[in-house]
Amino acid sequence: MTKVSDRLNRLAESATLAMARMSRELQAKGIDVIALSLGEPDFDTPEFIKEAAKKAIDDNFSHYTPVPGLPELRSAIVQKFKRDNNLEFTPDQIVTSTGAKQSLANLCLSLLNPGDEVLLPCPYWVSYTELVKLAEGVPVEVPSTIDSDFKVTPEQLEAVITPKTKLLMFSSPCNPSGTVYTQSELEAIAKMLEKYPDIYVVADEIYEHINFTEKHFSIGTIPSMKDRTITVNGVSKGFAMTGWRVGFIGAPLWIAKACNKIQGQVTSATCAIAQKAAERAMLADPRSTTQEMRDTFLKRRDMILAKLNNIEGVKCNVPEGAFYVFPDVSCYFGKSDGTTTINNSDDFCMYLLNSAHVALVAGDSFGNPECVRISYAASDDKLMQAMDRIKKQLAQLN
Ligand code: PMP
Ligand code: GLU
């Protein structure tokens, strides 16, 4: 009999990390798996950021830091928010954490009472639903399809608002669809929210620098949203620093204090050395630091779209940011190669993993079960090979 808590039993394993684990297991058996499952840049952290960390070790940044982060890091984040996003914060409104994932966990645990509802435009990042559930909140999915470029409208959101609605949580650029909400789309959502002053917005902007439209807009800059928006960001994606584990929020003071309180009991603070590296990243010119990566991702996006559009039945839109494509593969549901039948996107991904040795992530856990997520944070060569394998494998299905 299992002895773990009901809370744990209600929690799903992270689908992204589960697929990464299964790919590693097959690779360990000597199978040549091309893993396009995990969302992390295949670039190394820039040298000048690594130098700052080496210096931090020599300067003995080996102690606990204040719970929300070193004062110099928080002040660098304040400057970053002003410079890049036109968002005004004071250092006590900033909380740095062990990745944006912990920032989101802090927020859910600090803000949600049991039964509070959180609006999640689909597709959403896999961990949103699970973090909401962990905090005993209720995820409310707001559907979208590839035909609207995976965008939801203010009317769709308003239709599911109830007296229990506490948060709207979304990422733009979006993981997994790459969708970027424009300024006018966000203004329309903000206008609708003016009628509901008790709803707060969690704006996850972690893919800010991987935006091919060049027009990142922060919903928190809209005057009516200023005191109701928590802007989440981090160094993982834009600065290729996934393993350093630094994320942060800029939030109304009472929310920053609440997150600080939770974090003080859970992790104390993130790693001091990583904080010094993140401080250096925040002070750098983001355009030039991230340009090469952005250009490379854009080239790969076009390459992968060309390949996918050449596969029978696969339906793609053109993602405007992040490093994912999220094609609709539902035309394969119900088909079989004579041995295996594909009933849903999970079956589709397992079929490709076991037969073509390509790892993708099923759309179910992102709220769009007709789709799959392909991360193109991999070399051109691997991407080409993967697309060829997928095409060949899918041709076996009838
Ligand atoms: N938000 C989104 C949309 C993500 O894709 C990720 C995945 N890295 C995170 C937050 C968490 O990032 P991290 O914890 O690495 O800062
Ligand atoms: N956020 C990345 C992804 O979506 C990394 C994995 C994770 O943290 O879940 O693949």
Side-chain angles (χ1 to χ4, degrees), residues 150-186:
F150 297 110
K151 287 180 181 177
V152 300
T153 61
E155 293 72 29
Q156 277 179 286
L157 291 167
E158 188 166 20
V160 290
I161 287 177
T162 75
K164 289 231 159 250
T165 309
K166 185 74 186 267
L167 294 177
L168 162 65
M169 195 185 280
F170 71 103
S171 62
S172 176
C174 172
N175 177 3
S177 64
T179 293
V180 175
Y181 279 86
T182 64
Q183 175 168 351
S184 62
E185 286 159 349
L186 292 174

Side-chain angles (χ1 to χ4, degrees), residues 135-152:
E136 297 181 64
V138 180
V140 177
E141 299 188 357
V142 187
S144 77
T145 67
I146 203 161
D147 299 318
S148 63
D149 267 332
F150 297 110
K151 287 180 181 177
V152 300

Side-chain angles (χ1 to χ4, degrees), residues 99-101 104 125 128 171 175 204 206-207 236-237 245-246:
K101 197 180 259 186
L104 293 162
W125 181 44
Y128 292 173
S171 62
N175 177 3
D204 183 342
I206 197 153
Y207 293 93
S236 282
K237 313 292 170 171
R245 309 308 302 129
V246 182

Side-chain angles (χ1 to χ4, degrees), residues 14 16-17 37-39 101 125-127 175 207 237 324 373:
S14 160
T16 48
L17 300 183
S37 44
L38 197 59
K101 197 180 259 186
W125 181 44
V126 287
S127 291
N175 177 3
Y207 293 93
K237 313 292 170 171
Y324 309 106
R373 189 187 79 173

